[in-house]
Amino acid sequence: MLAICFGVAYYPFVGTLNAIYVRVTEPAKAAAVRVAYPTAYTEPGSQFYAIEQTGFEPPEAELGKLSARLGTDVLWLGFQSVVDAFQFHHWRSGKHMRSLVFGCFEQERTWERVEGEPEAWERAAIFDPKHLARLLRHTASEEADALRQIWCNAEIAPSRMEPMIDGRETARKVAEFYRLPGWS
């Protein structure tokens, strides 16, 4: 049995969330998740079970093993709205697919970790053209070209502040894309 630590339920007025989400579509796997995580819950219309967490650091090795054991997708999603911290980690059948960490451990409002291939939700969630337009109004021309390039190519890079994100709203967009429980 895997020991997983972390979680606060998402409510619109709460400023912190940390949770594991496990995609299960087979009754036997759903039962295994509920046995391993008695607080796991799902909602109609979602293929995921949510396991709320109390810490902010994901147990990545354990989540990768859980994903491999169940042959499914496992996500870690976290945000802290006061400092706009955001974390997303994704494993599929034990393979690490993607990690994005923004302002969590090293420096506020800075991309700290970017691994794996971009996912389908990222462009809409992170590269809002309205945000770019606001930035360009207050940016010198040489910097504006660099910002346009970042948005055009949907570039996220460690140590870079742009694209700046709202941690809670980015997490909400991930939750909507995957139809995660606890966000409706």
Side-chain angles (χ1 to χ4, degrees):
M1 183 160 142
L2 294 173
I4 304 294
C5 53
F6 225 155
V8 174
Y10 173 75
Y11 301 98
F13 53 86
V14 174
T16 301
L17 165 87
N18 296 294
I20 299 163
Y21 297 93
V22 182
R23 183 187 308 252
V24 288
T25 56
E26 301 166 29
K29 290 180 181 180
V33 168
R34 287 190 308 271
V35 166
Y37 308 101
T39 62
Y41 65 92
T42 191
E43 294 175 349
S46 179
Q47 294 182 342
F48 284 86
Y49 274 80
I51 303 108
E52 298 170 2
Q53 303 297 295
T54 56
F56 203 65
E57 291 209 38
E60 293 186 48
E62 292 178 31
L63 296 177
K65 288 177 187 174
L66 174 64
S67 174
R69 189 180 74 186
L70 295 177
T72 194
D73 289 288
V74 172
L75 309 175
W76 175 274
L77 183 60
F79 76 84
Q80 208 295 324
S81 64
V82 173
V83 294
D84 281 325
F86 169 81
Q87 280 194 86
F88 173 82
H89 304 277
H90 181 188
W91 295 265
R92 177 173 293 138
S93 297
K95 181 181 178 201
H96 179 252
M97 303 299 291
R98 186 70 161 157
S99 285
L100 294 173
V101 178
F102 182 81
C104 291
F105 304 107
E106 298 169 16
Q107 187 172 353
E108 281 187 34
R109 294 174 176 86
T110 301
W111 290 99
E112 298 173 4
R113 184 171 165 194
V114 179
E115 297 173 359
E117 294 300 314
E119 295 202 358
W121 59 267
E122 290 181 32
R123 184 173 283 275
I126 297 172
F127 296 94
D128 183 344
K130 292 177 187 173
H131 178 68
L132 176 60
R134 283 190 302 272
L135 282 173
L136 293 176
R137 283 193 297 254
H138 307 288
T139 303
S141 61
E142 60 277 355
E143 292 175 41
D145 290 340
L147 288 171
R148 284 188 195 92
Q149 189 71 26
I150 289 168
W151 257 257
C152 180
N153 296 328
E155 295 174 8
I156 304 171
S159 301
R160 189 184 280 168
M161 295 181 81
E162 294 298 342
M164 187 75 65
I165 61 168
D166 177 312
R168 180 194 324 248
E169 287 307 303
T170 304
R172 182 183 58 75
K173 290 175 183 175
V174 171
E176 289 171 353
F177 179 84
Y178 283 106
R179 295 186 188 162
L180 299 177
W183 290 80
S184 57

